[in-house]
Amino acid sequence: MIIHNIGDSQSVLNKFISEIRDTSIQKDAMRFRRNIERIGEILGYELSKILDYSNKNITTPLGQKEMLLPVNPIVLCSILRAGLPLHNGLLNYFDTAENAFVSAYRKHIDDTNFEIKVEYFASPSLQGKTLLLADPMLATGGSLITTYNAILKNGTPKEIHIIAVIASKNGIDFIEKHLPKNTHLWVATVDDTLNDKGYIIPGLGDAGDLAFGKKL
Ligand code: PRP
Ligand code: URA
């Protein structure tokens, strides 16, 4: 897997990451969602630099201009529900992408053990396309790999880009074992550990709850 840790270099991205982590700012759900969206825009821009491009002749009112434009069709796939603001950010830049949505959730066996359940997915064909698979939190990596295996029923993508806001080192190691070697991971920041409930430490807490409120 080719890992691009975009927060490693100094940029305004780090301000957005600090705001989604900060307990005094993350209470503002609208700002939390908007920051996740802005991070999606930045990661999308970064990954756009390595897509395949070809020349297209564009007609302006006053002449012609050869422009390099992305060629391969994109499918943008997100995991409900925390993935929605990240999805919007990516879609702001890849506005002609096809879209896929997957419901994946942790079904708890007891306080510390859970399995990932996928009960619904809606996806176009992935065959030969560029798959962007986005989820803000890459904790154990279970949701991402379960989702990937579910959507593969709709074809084999030409290339795969995983987009995450905060990833744990364990999550990165886990997905690396289950994805093709040439997969790219675009991550805003990486944290060291998980707690015994599978939450990223220090992370930000529960991304779905912060964006959309607590669930039963
Ligand atoms: C979050 C996040 C991932 C998952 C990551 O969703 O959006 O899908 O946790 O954890 P994992 O890497 O250990 O699988 P969550 O379960 O909080 O659901 P929600 O978005 O519906 O709140
Ligand atoms: N899901 C979250 O929302 N946060 C974590 O730290 C782990 C999983």
Side-chain angles (χ1 to χ4, degrees):
M1 192 162 67
I2 305 125
I3 301 170
H4 310 264
N5 184 347
I6 306 303
D8 254 359
S9 51
Q10 291 178 18
S11 80
V12 71
L13 173 65
N14 285 334
K15 178 169 183 294
F16 304 153
I17 300 168
S18 71
E19 287 190 4
I20 58 172
R21 287 186 191 275
D22 188 329
T23 50
S24 67
I25 301 175
Q26 61 176 202
K27 288 189 192 81
D28 179 350
M30 188 169 70
R31 189 167 192 86
F32 183 84
R33 291 192 300 269
R34 181 64 188 118
N35 275 326
I36 299 266
E37 186 177 345
R38 294 200 283 190
I39 294 168
E41 288 169 354
I42 291 170
L43 297 178
Y45 175 72
E46 290 297 329
L47 83 80
S48 77
K49 294 176 184 173
I50 66 158
L51 298 176
D52 291 337
Y53 285 74
S54 76
N55 262 316
K56 188 169 179 210
N57 200 26
I58 303 294
T59 305
T60 82
L62 300 173
Q64 305 270 316
K65 180 75 180 174
E66 287 272 306
M67 299 274 320
L68 275 173
L69 298 175
V71 276
N72 206 40
I74 292 174
V75 177
L76 171 55
C77 177
S78 290
I79 304 175
L80 302 172
R81 43 182 191 150
L84 288 175
L86 187 63
H87 190 101
N88 274 346
L90 290 158
L91 197 57
N92 288 345
Y93 282 21
F94 302 110
D95 49 270
T96 55
E98 294 177 282
N99 296 270
F101 294 97
V102 178
S103 86
Y105 67 95
R106 290 176 168 188
K107 184 161 189 254
H108 278 272
I109 299 154
D110 56 41
D111 213 28
T112 51
N113 295 297
F114 55 84
E115 55 182 351
I116 307 295
K117 287 274 184 200
V118 169
E119 278 177 359
Y120 166 85
F121 84 89
S123 168
S125 166
L126 304 178
Q127 193 59 40
K129 297 177 185 169
T130 298
L131 172 64
L132 311 187
L133 179 51
D135 194 345
M137 306 303 281
L138 176 56
T140 63
S143 304
L144 199 116
I145 295 304
T146 308
T147 296
Y148 172 71
N149 289 331
I151 61 172
L152 272 196
K153 295 180 186 99
N154 281 22
T156 307
K158 177 169 174 262
E159 56 185 299
I160 302 165
H161 299 266
I162 307 296
I163 300 109
V165 176
I166 305 183
S168 74
K169 288 186 173 158
N170 310 46
I172 293 175
D173 291 346
F174 180 76
I175 67 167
E176 191 159 26
K177 290 190 192 111
H178 293 88
L179 292 168
K181 280 206 169 1
N182 57 353
T183 300
H184 289 265
L185 169 65
W186 302 87
V187 61
T189 188
V190 178
D191 283 359
D192 283 338
T193 51
L194 294 175
N195 68 11
D196 62 359
K197 291 186 163 56
Y199 274 79
I200 301 176
I201 305 297
L204 53 71
D206 189 306
D209 287 2
L210 288 163
F212 298 114
K214 286 200 184 308
K215 52 183 188 270
L216 286 177

